[in-house]
Amino acid sequence: MPQHSPFPHLFAPLDLGFTTLPNRILMGSMHTGLEEDKGSLHRLADYFAARARGGAGLMVTGGIAPNRQGWLAPFGAKLTTTTEAKQHAPVTTAVHNAGGKICLQILHAGRYGMHPMLVAPSPIRARISPFRPWEMSPRLIRATIRDFARSAALAREAGYDGVEIMGSEGYLINQFTVPRTNKRTDAWGGSFENRIRFPLEIMRAVREKTGPDFIVIFRISMLDLVEDGSTWDEVVAFAKAIETAGATIINTGIGWHEARIPTIATMVPRGAYTWVTERLKTAVGIPLITTNRINTPEKAEEILATGQADMVSMARPLLADPDFPRKAKAGQANAINTCIACNQACLDHVFEQKTASCLVNPRAATGNLPQAPEGKGAIAVVGAGPAGLSAAVELATRGFSVHLFEASGAIGGQFNLAKRIPGKEEYAETIRYFDTMLKKTGVAVHLNTGAGADFLLKKGFQEVVLATGVAPRIPALEGIGHPKVLSYTDVLSDQKPVGKKVAIIGAGGIGFDVAMYLTANHQVLASDAARIAAYQQEWGIDQNYQHRGGLTDPQPETPARQVWLLQRSKGKVGAGLGKTTGWAHRLTLKNRGVQMWNSVQYHRVDDAGLHLSVNGKQQILDVDHVIVCAGQEPLRTLQAPLEAAGIRVHLIGGAKLAAELDAKRAIEEGMVVAQTIRPG
Ligand code: NAP
Ligand code: SF4
């Protein structure tokens, strides 16, 4: 064990007998959309080569289907022919040239396929799919086992170091193993032995086709989080059987896609599921990988040092920062661009059939933002929110002498509000990252400096990046000046006292955040263990595993306040929230008794409360406070005087466009504008 490393367990090699992994970091499987690039997988090759250079011990591709029925979506990636295998050669070559190792994930979607050819052990439609699956005949089951083995053999031919068999998250294999979705009465259903026959035969066939010196990771659903999932005894017996059938490593799968419990979103505490892997530790002899919400080397080291697992899987954290392992090993953990588990640019993109990117790192999977030549001369960046920070660091990296002016006493802008929301504490990591990078790249940071036009002109800047952000929109409403009315910054930033009954005007991202903040009890949970216990209680996760699937009755927090969350438009409240996380925010608020109303017309605020109509029916909400979360207006008063004086001004982030302002666009604009400014 290398004692000089700050993370000795993380960087201890793992001997698999026929090969040795250099460390305990698995870049877990994650679909990016690059798998579906037509004609060439060169972008996928660049993507993985960057992570191999960054020091990942082992990587796994996004899911590749073993046949057409197994597609996630029509014309999704599959590996069924030698021609398809050849297309993967650039990926494996690039990874090996960079000193890395990579496995191909074989994923059969089963009833989660978003196409009409989908198949499953029994013809039961998933509640998240529009299609009812076809029941697989015994002949098709046998053919599918052969297809898995063929894909594995082709992966070996393509140069992969191994495969991962996807047996969790509610995909086909998982659909066979549990009574929820397997109602068969033949040799492939009914008893536990029959239900696990399909995965065991796949495992044996894959091993037989690929030989003993090929990594086979089997991902087991260790906690289904749906009714009629596995019992814990079944998980243990299955894991033992998978080991006997020839797996090299067992990976942890948590929660089906149809489960109504968030398992990877930012509100899930760090390391919330390592206990599941740990429970299996004494039952099997092969290495175990643990997963879900492990996003810092400190957390990963703690998990390994306490013997909870042999490896840690980090997919999004290595999407966010390809150099995560290298930086951790070099003692530069502070310079890691930490994944904040927002899902906004990765999973949400993939869900919308777009290529994955990353909110905190727009270069993550595209790799194609222009890399401009070295710059000289001084540039002012005004505003140290996400957009300004991103521009300042990027400009300084190019060699410009950058002065960053911030009117308040801290960098971070709107992220300073976000980090106060219970469940969004991770946003502080992005501020920490930028703080490190400002120092590393030599940006001169001027806090408490409201740089006006005269000031900037006097300083002689010829080029100014305006990232002055936004101001809360004040709706034209009678009584808007009443003492009951507060803006979201009054609440989140200035911590003004708020009464027990509250109406929130505006149900965008910030309205939801404020509702979350005001209904939470803000218990001080000092340890991750306490946070995990509270999360399990809120969502009904049973660490004692007394029922199938590991579920118990949820016990939502008693809300701290009674809240009405209001919008004028007709659609579903919260419709604009992220695809993969919006449901969890809505469910949390529903469980806390928040009334979410659409089609609201506001009339006035007075001592009686908020006067409004819903669908034409007038009423008064007798509330103590009305919090305005009605969007924002851009702040760009500097633009005109600077331009009049002949200064080149670049608007980015909220200052450019406050509507649909989001951090993803802000950080990306900062980076792009910094690349387009001409050298001095
Ligand atoms: P927003 O999403 O644009 O929502 C503004 C809300 O105010 C809407 O519900 C709108 O609904 C209402 N509204 C607009 N003008 C109004 C007026 N004149 N009077 C009364 N109501 C009015 O803005 P935001 O909530 O301030 O969020 C800003 C951005 O921050 C978001 O777009 C998002 O990208 C980002 N953010 C995201 C999250 C997240 O969860 N991902 C969290 C926080 C912030 P009606 O017009 O229907 O009334
Ligand atoms: Fe993590 Fe958000 Fe980036 Fe996805 S988009 S990798 S969740 S920071």
Side-chain angles (χ1 to χ4, degrees):
M1 198 178 294
Q3 285 308 322
H4 55 277
S5 159
F7 306 107
H9 295 84
L10 194 55
F11 291 99
L14 181 63
D15 184 0
L16 299 175
F18 55 91
T19 187
T20 299
L21 306 179
N23 59 50
R24 306 304 179 102
I25 300 173
L26 176 91
M27 181 177 182
S29 174
M30 177 175 183
H31 211 77
T32 56
L34 299 176
E35 302 83 357
E36 271 83 36
D37 272 357
K38 294 284 167 255
S40 149
L41 293 180
H42 279 96
R43 285 202 304 167
L44 191 65
D46 292 347
Y47 170 73
F48 280 120
R51 274 78 194 166
R53 282 192 300 276
L58 181 63
M59 302 179 290
V60 183
T61 65
I64 310 282
N67 56 31
R68 277 201 177 85
Q69 293 131 358
W71 271 339
L72 268 169
F75 309 104
K78 64 179 179 59
L79 183 52
T80 56
T81 63
T82 309
T83 312
E84 283 164 350
K86 282 195 180 123
Q87 287 172 355
H88 285 261
V91 177
T92 54
T93 306
V95 168
H96 293 152
N97 287 345
K101 287 189 167 50
I102 185 162
C103 293
L104 175 126
Q105 189 190 66
I106 310 175
L107 182 154
H108 190 305
R111 71 177 195 152
Y112 280 171
M114 289 295 158
H115 55 85
M117 291 191 306
L118 74 177
V119 295
S122 302
I124 309 165
R125 188 176 69 82
R127 62 176 170 226
I128 56 169
S129 167
F131 303 108
R132 185 167 182 259
W134 300 91
E135 179 173 312
M136 291 171 83
S137 66
R139 200 171 147 176
L140 182 60
I141 293 175
R142 291 256 166 233
T144 305
I145 294 167
R146 287 194 297 276
D147 290 344
F148 267 89
R150 179 184 58 193
S151 279
L154 288 169
R156 181 159 196 161
E157 211 175 293
Y160 282 99
D161 301 280
V163 289
E164 176 172 77
I165 301 170
M166 180 46 154
S168 63
E169 261 75 2
Y171 291 118
L172 182 70
I173 290 177
N174 210 178
Q175 291 158 27
F176 268 92
T177 56
V178 300
R180 175 185 184 79
T181 40
N182 185 344
K183 307 287 182 195
R184 301 179 74 96
T185 52
D186 61 4
W188 306 97
S191 68
F192 169 65
E193 286 68 28
N194 281 356
R195 281 184 273 118
I196 62 168
R197 191 182 307 281
F198 178 65
L200 289 182
E201 293 218 4
I202 288 173
M203 184 58 241
R204 287 189 204 106
V206 164
R207 180 53 80 202
E208 200 185 303
K209 276 270 191 179
T210 55
D213 56 346
F214 192 61
I215 301 170
V216 182
I217 306 170
F218 198 102
R219 187 143 170 213
I220 290 183
S221 185
M222 291 191 202
L223 185 71
D224 296 311
L225 297 178
V226 289
E227 294 83 15
D228 284 333
S230 294
T231 63
W232 180 251
D233 289 347
E234 287 177 349
V235 170
V236 173
F238 182 42
K240 286 182 170 171
I242 282 293
E243 177 176 18
T244 309
T248 321
I249 303 174
I250 289 176
N251 194 0
T252 304
I254 301 290
W256 287 37
H257 286 311
E258 65 201 77
R260 291 292 86 184
I261 296 178
T263 53
I264 60 167
T266 192
M267 77 251 283
V268 179
R270 287 181 185 170
Y273 289 99
T274 53
W275 63 270
V276 190
T277 318
E278 187 182 16
R279 263 185 94 132
L280 200 60
K281 201 74 179 68
T282 50
V284 293
I286 53 176
L288 288 180
I289 304 170
T290 196
T291 183
N292 286 46
R293 286 293 282 117
I294 303 164
N295 64 341
T296 64
E298 291 81 6
K299 190 78 215 165
E301 176 69 15
E302 178 197 314
I303 291 162
L304 296 166
T306 50
Q308 292 184 288
D310 303 288
M311 278 188 97
V312 287
S313 172
M314 292 184 277
R316 294 173 301 169
L318 268 74
L319 170 70
D321 193 336
D323 292 321
F324 177 123
R326 195 177 54 70
K327 289 176 182 173
K329 195 172 180 184
Q332 295 168 0
N334 254 355
I336 291 173
N337 196 358
T338 306
C339 164
I340 57 173
C342 65
N343 287 356
Q344 273 176 249
C346 54
L347 298 194
D348 283 352
H349 273 204
V350 172
F351 213 86
E352 293 160 12
Q353 316 280 321
K354 292 195 282 192
T355 306
S357 178
C358 173
L359 180 140
V360 300
N361 174 12
R363 283 200 175 90
T366 52
N368 60 359
L369 281 178
Q371 192 65 55
E374 209 172 290
K376 330 193 266 295
I379 295 192
V381 178
V382 187
L389 290 168
S390 166
V393 167
E394 195 72 10
L395 284 164
T397 306
R398 279 186 61 197
F400 287 103
S401 160
V402 182
H403 289 261
L404 176 62
F405 299 99
E406 167 58 38
S408 78
I411 64 163
Q414 301 277 315
F415 271 30
N416 287 309
L417 303 185
K419 74 179 189 194
R420 296 221 164 95
I421 310 300
K424 279 192 156 179
E425 295 83 357
E426 292 287 1
Y427 283 64
E429 296 292 348
T430 305
I431 303 176
R432 183 265 308 144
Y433 163 74
F434 276 118
D435 189 40
T436 309
M437 295 310 289
L438 291 174
K439 293 185 179 110
K440 242 179 127 85
T441 57
V443 173
V445 181
H446 309 275
L447 297 177
N448 301 307
T449 310
D454 290 347
F455 172 88
L456 293 166
L457 291 171
K458 214 181 282 168
K459 293 273 178 195
F461 291 107
Q462 289 304 308
E463 200 109 33
V464 175
V465 176
L466 270 195
T468 33
V470 292
R473 177 182 293 131
I474 315 286
L477 175 66
E478 192 185 327
I480 196 76
H482 192 279
K484 278 184 190 284
V485 180
L486 299 174
S487 85
Y488 65 85
T489 53
D490 291 332
V491 178
L492 298 177
S493 201
D494 303 342
Q495 316 260 301
K496 291 204 176 148
V498 178
K500 285 284 176 196
K501 284 164 87 178
V502 181
I504 298 175
I505 291 187
I510 293 189
F512 266 77
D513 276 356
V514 169
M516 205 72 86
Y517 179 85
L518 290 176
T519 51
N521 285 299
H522 300 278
Q523 275 171 281
V524 182
L525 300 171
S527 66
D528 278 348
R531 279 186 279 274
I532 291 168
Y535 156 77
Q536 287 176 344
Q537 191 175 319
E538 173 154 22
W539 291 98
I541 302 157
D542 178 18
Q543 200 158 328
N544 295 318
Y545 227 123
Q546 288 184 336
H547 304 285
R548 285 189 174 276
L551 292 177
T552 184
D553 287 336
Q555 290 172 269
E557 268 188 46
T558 309
R561 291 180 180 82
Q562 193 180 356
V563 170
W564 285 263
L565 182 56
L566 311 169
Q567 70 179 32
R568 298 169 305 178
S569 45
K570 279 201 178 78
K572 181 165 70 176
V573 176
L577 299 177
K579 286 255 182 290
T580 60
T581 51
W583 65 269
H585 294 300
R586 275 192 298 274
L587 194 52
T588 308
L589 293 188
K590 192 170 155 236
N591 289 340
R592 293 186 189 168
V594 172
Q595 298 286 319
M596 290 176 247
W597 292 357
N598 60 13
S599 310
V600 173
Q601 226 189 323
Y602 310 109
H603 301 309
R604 67 178 181 283
V605 181
D606 60 20
D607 291 346
L610 175 61
H611 298 245
L612 49 75
S613 309
V614 183
N615 292 321
K617 216 173 128 208
Q618 290 218 14
Q619 55 183 299
I620 304 170
L621 282 182
D622 165 26
V623 291
D624 304 309
H625 284 103
V626 176
I627 320 287
V628 178
C629 304
Q632 291 96 8
E633 304 287 355
L635 277 177
R636 50 181 177 220
T637 46
L638 291 181
Q639 184 185 15
L642 288 175
E643 282 180 347
I647 308 300
R648 282 187 296 277
V649 176
H650 309 268
L651 278 180
I652 57 171
K656 180 176 175 188
L657 182 71
E660 289 177 24
L661 156 77
D662 72 56
K664 181 176 75 174
R665 182 169 65 76
I667 293 177
E668 179 161 5
E669 275 179 12
M671 198 172 266
V672 170
V673 88
Q675 291 292 334
T676 53
I677 289 177
R678 290 187 304 279

